[in-house]
Amino acid sequence: MKLLFIGDIVGQPGRNAVKTLLPKLREQHALDFVIANGENSAGGSGITPKIAGEIFSAGVDVITSGDHLWDQKEVMELLANEKRFLRPLNYPAGTPGQGSGVFEIKRWGETPGEPNIKDGGRAQAPARGDARPTGLSIAVLNAQGRTFMQPPLENPFTLALEEVKRLRERTKIIFVDFHAEATSEKIAFGRFLDGQVSAVVGTHTHVQTADEQIFLGGTAYLTDAGFTGPHESVLGREIEPVIKRFLTGMPQRFEVAKNRVQLHGAVIEIDDASGKAIKIQRVAEALM
Ligand SMILES: [Fe+2]
Ligand SMILES: [Fe+2]
């Protein structure tokens, strides 16, 4: 199977990029499943049920989050009712929502790239309308780092390993979004889970790293997927207020920037039977 992971969607420009570019990427890569980090999707801070609905309608199957989880109070409704929305696993026991989920993989329409007789033999993107079950499931897990991160959560290493053991009883195809700041913590976390999960991709720094690789145990790894939104910016926000904040130390309003919108992430191909990664490829697609 092939999945696309989309790095932190920032505000309306980020959502537009997903809506516009996802159908093309789905066709180009013959994607079976799409996961996106949505922690900055509402005006750059947090997420609401309405915005999650918009992202799901654009073709995303599961939304992960991170330290901006609580920025919009409406998130409580998502945590209570939406199984396709994940929060970091390593919040204390009793926190609403879930840190992982197992989801059915469907294939959409005709096999992508296959000539479609009705369309005069032209290869056609699969329509979202006609889903075929594959009999395969994918587990998605979201965890948050503790180095240079707030709030201090439980140990993501021990909790993720326990959770992965449970998930592996249901499927070997397991994707992990590790939302963390320190490259050392992220790489160590990926190495720790090598051979236990299909992929570990980092989020939170909004800067795509160039270290995509498959570890010896078969786990695909990328320290950070980058962010989906305006790149003529500082991490998605207007440049001037951020510089002013660094110059003066005074609080500023950080509006979401507008220009040079890109979708960042990674396409990962996974062996259905073993759950091991076959290929990982970074994505940085410009919205024209
Ligand atoms: Fe973010
Ligand atoms: Fe974050």
Side-chain angles (χ1 to χ4, degrees), residues 85-147:
F85 178 71
L86 304 180
R87 55 137 172 96
L89 172 82
N90 47 326
Y91 269 92
T95 305
Q98 56 277 318
S100 75
V102 179
F103 308 91
E104 196 191 333
I105 299 170
K106 294 180 186 130
R107 294 213 162 113
W108 301 97
E110 318 236 346
T111 308
E114 238 174 37
N116 183 335
I117 310 298
K118 287 168 279 180
D119 197 36
R122 199 154 53 85
Q124 207 185 36
R128 286 288 289 179
D130 35 339
R132 280 188 292 119
T134 59
L136 294 172
S137 296
I138 178 172
V140 182
L141 190 156
N142 189 191
Q144 187 169 309
R146 300 201 296 181
T147 308

Side-chain angles (χ1 to χ4, degrees), residues 154-234:
E154 312 285 355
N155 191 317
F157 287 71
T158 47
L159 288 183
L161 189 65
E162 283 169 23
E163 188 72 2
V164 163
K165 268 187 200 148
R166 277 192 290 272
L167 294 171
R168 280 181 72 85
E169 286 169 17
R170 298 178 62 189
T171 179
K172 284 184 177 141
I173 303 171
I174 304 176
F175 177 87
V176 181
D177 170 358
F178 189 44
H179 198 79
E181 176 75 36
T183 50
S184 57
E185 188 178 18
K186 290 163 110 167
I187 296 167
F189 188 79
R191 291 284 182 187
F192 179 66
L193 293 178
D194 182 22
Q196 302 298 311
V197 302
S198 309
V200 175
V201 176
T203 52
H204 177 68
T205 70
H206 290 205
V207 178
Q208 190 176 70
T209 56
D211 61 338
E212 73 277 19
Q213 61 198 287
I214 297 174
F215 292 147
L216 294 177
T219 297
Y221 177 79
L222 176 64
T223 295
D224 207 290
F227 80 95
T228 296
H231 281 251
E232 193 56 34
S233 68
V234 177

Side-chain angles (χ1 to χ4, degrees), residues 8 10 37 39-40 67-68 179 203-206:
D8 303 30
V10 177
N37 186 298
E39 72 149 7
N40 307 108
D67 56 315
H68 283 286
H179 198 79
T203 52
H204 177 68
T205 70
H206 290 205

